[in-house]
Amino acid sequence: MSAAAGRLGELLGIDHPVVQGPFGGGLSSVALAVAVSEGGGLGSYGAHILSPEAITDLVAELKAGTQRPFAVNLWVPLDGEEDLRPDDAELARHAERLLPYYAELGLSVPSAEEVDGARLDFGAQVDALLAAGPPVISFVMGIPPRRVIDEARRRGTAVIGTATTVDEAVALERAGVDAVVASGSDAGGHRGAFLRPVRESLVGTFSLIPQVADAVSVPVVAAGGIADGRGIAAALALGADAVQIGTGFLATRESGASAVHRRALSGPDARTTVLTRLFSGRTARGIPNRFVRDMAAYEDEVPPYPVQNALMQPIRRAAGGQGRAEYVNLWSGQAAALARGSVGAGEYLASLVEGAREHRAG
Ligand SMILES: Cc1cc2nc3c(=O)[nH]c(=O)nc-3n(C[C@H](O)[C@H](O)[C@H](O)COP(=O)(O)O)c2cc1C
């Protein structure tokens, strides 16, 4: 480990203060996480939608791919989320506004039973993950239960939590996490707010970092809108110990991003991303497309996650399969235009490290 890796490097045994952000929704890949970890950063895999068995297999695959530290990420359920069980009538009411899209893509509306069947069991996921023993577990959307943090400590697994406000960072530190990701509102993908509503938790990355750095003593990982060496140097200057980069790595060759998503990341609409609840019922940042524009009037009306997510899943999948960007969730942070595009993740990581060094020295 080099001195430049800082406190997060010391904690985790990585060479560079760069974390590849985990991607839920099937956009992570073992190849991406392995390439970043082998390059001396912290590769991550978003396991949010995986079954406990698939999580066990995933960790085995990651361990076979690299001897270096890597992280596996899960979503902590929000209070009440696991009890949301709409009946067929309520579901039909929410599905009504989506009927033209189901029809256009040749799909049928999922039943209440199917929506219920798509539910994830966080307790079983996290037990499988702890037992598989990855070097690092990261969480988003909440505070992992005490028993999980205790068990991780017992097994020598580091725990990273994700905060969108100073209060969330303090709560995570109190709960015993080893490091905190400070996720600014510039970041791509879902907002992880858990103490207050999302609209009261939208602090920009470069406002959030110094305030979180002042408020907690564990290492702080800055996330959101960082995609080149200048951004890393700026985040470190503001008190971050490391950065977490999502969109920049999503654009690299090894990620699980589809061709339509990659094209959108390098297109003009990626310069003006929006926050939307329409794809999942939970606020996320992505590139505006026809679906987001046509449905804008329903932003506050769609049901919460995971109900809207289950209603939209067939539409997102079918549209993705048909290469139709207009109905796909094109998650992206605000700095997509700074990403390097389809280079290899190792090459991108090396350019980040080199760029940060130049800008810190200058
Ligand atoms: C497609 C996509 C999926 C994401 N999924 C997750 C996730 O499952 N868990 C998580 O903690 N963060 C997730 N994130 C956030 C990233 O890990 C990272 O913190 C964020 O992308 C940083 O901001 P940036 O996109 O501006 O680089 C996701 C981001 C994107 C773009």
Side-chain angles (χ1 to χ4, degrees):
M1 192 212 339
S2 70
R7 292 201 303 160
L8 193 80
E10 276 164 36
L11 176 73
L12 305 179
I14 54 174
D15 297 337
H16 309 301
V18 179
V19 178
Q20 169 245 317
F23 307 128
L27 298 182
S28 281
S29 78
V30 169
L32 175 59
V34 165
V36 174
S37 289
E38 287 288 297
L42 185 73
S44 310
Y45 194 108
H48 161 59
I49 61 167
L50 298 188
S51 67
E53 298 73 32
I55 288 174
T56 307
D57 293 347
L58 168 71
V59 175
E61 224 184 306
L62 287 163
K63 282 184 176 171
T66 181
Q67 307 282 315
R68 311 295 306 264
F70 60 83
V72 177
N73 175 271
L74 287 177
W75 292 20
V76 178
L78 291 179
D79 278 348
E81 176 183 303
E82 289 176 306
D83 304 323
L84 277 176
R85 289 172 202 276
D87 58 21
D88 274 321
E90 194 185 344
L91 208 61
R93 192 164 54 76
H94 290 306
E96 204 176 327
R97 60 179 81 92
L98 298 174
L99 290 179
Y101 303 100
Y102 289 118
E104 189 177 336
L105 293 162
L107 303 165
S108 51
V109 180
S111 65
E113 206 182 330
E114 282 167 321
V115 168
D116 212 41
R119 229 160 248 293
L120 300 160
D121 180 348
F122 174 72
Q125 285 179 315
V126 84
D127 285 346
L129 186 53
L130 283 166
V136 184
I137 299 181
S138 70
F139 291 98
V140 66
M141 310 293 176
I143 301 176
R146 179 80 243 171
R147 70 161 186 95
V148 171
I149 295 180
D150 289 346
E151 182 61 16
R153 183 143 301 139
R154 208 180 60 74
R155 290 172 178 271
T157 299
V159 176
I160 300 178
T162 306
T164 65
T165 62
V166 172
D167 288 349
E168 289 176 357
V170 170
L172 284 162
E173 179 176 51
R174 282 206 189 116
V177 301
D178 299 298
V180 172
V181 174
S183 168
S185 58
D186 321 31
H190 285 93
R191 301 304 306 143
F194 59 90
L195 287 183
R196 302 186 70 82
V198 171
R199 68 174 181 285
E200 295 175 30
S201 311
L202 295 172
V203 188
T205 304
F206 283 5
S207 297
L208 186 62
I209 302 166
Q211 297 183 65
V212 171
D214 286 348
V216 300
S217 55
V218 292
V220 174
V221 183
I226 301 167
D228 64 15
R230 291 172 296 183
I232 297 175
L236 298 182
L238 288 172
D241 296 283
V243 298
Q244 175 162 296
I245 294 177
T247 302
F249 280 109
L250 190 63
T252 63
R253 271 204 302 272
E254 290 90 340
S255 94
S258 64
V260 286
H261 201 156
R262 285 169 192 281
R263 260 198 306 281
L265 286 172
S266 58
D269 286 350
R271 293 186 211 128
T272 49
T273 55
V274 292
L275 289 168
T276 177
R277 293 181 63 243
L278 293 168
F279 285 107
S280 67
R282 188 173 259 177
T283 307
R285 182 174 293 287
I287 300 167
N289 55 6
R290 194 172 122 202
F291 182 74
V292 169
R293 293 186 178 110
D294 285 357
M295 295 280 289
Y298 301 108
E299 278 288 351
D300 294 332
E301 286 175 37
V302 299
Y305 181 92
V307 179
Q308 178 72 359
N309 192 53
L311 287 174
M312 285 300 299
Q313 196 181 54
I315 295 175
R316 294 193 312 251
R317 282 219 178 120
Q322 294 173 24
R324 299 184 60 170
E326 66 267 36
Y327 302 140
V328 178
N329 47 322
L330 301 167
W331 300 149
S332 169
Q334 291 187 316
L338 298 177
R340 291 271 312 275
S342 288
V343 294
E347 186 185 334
Y348 178 52
L349 175 62
S351 75
L352 290 171
V353 170
E354 184 52 34
R357 197 170 289 139
E358 273 169 29
H359 285 280
R360 292 211 93 193

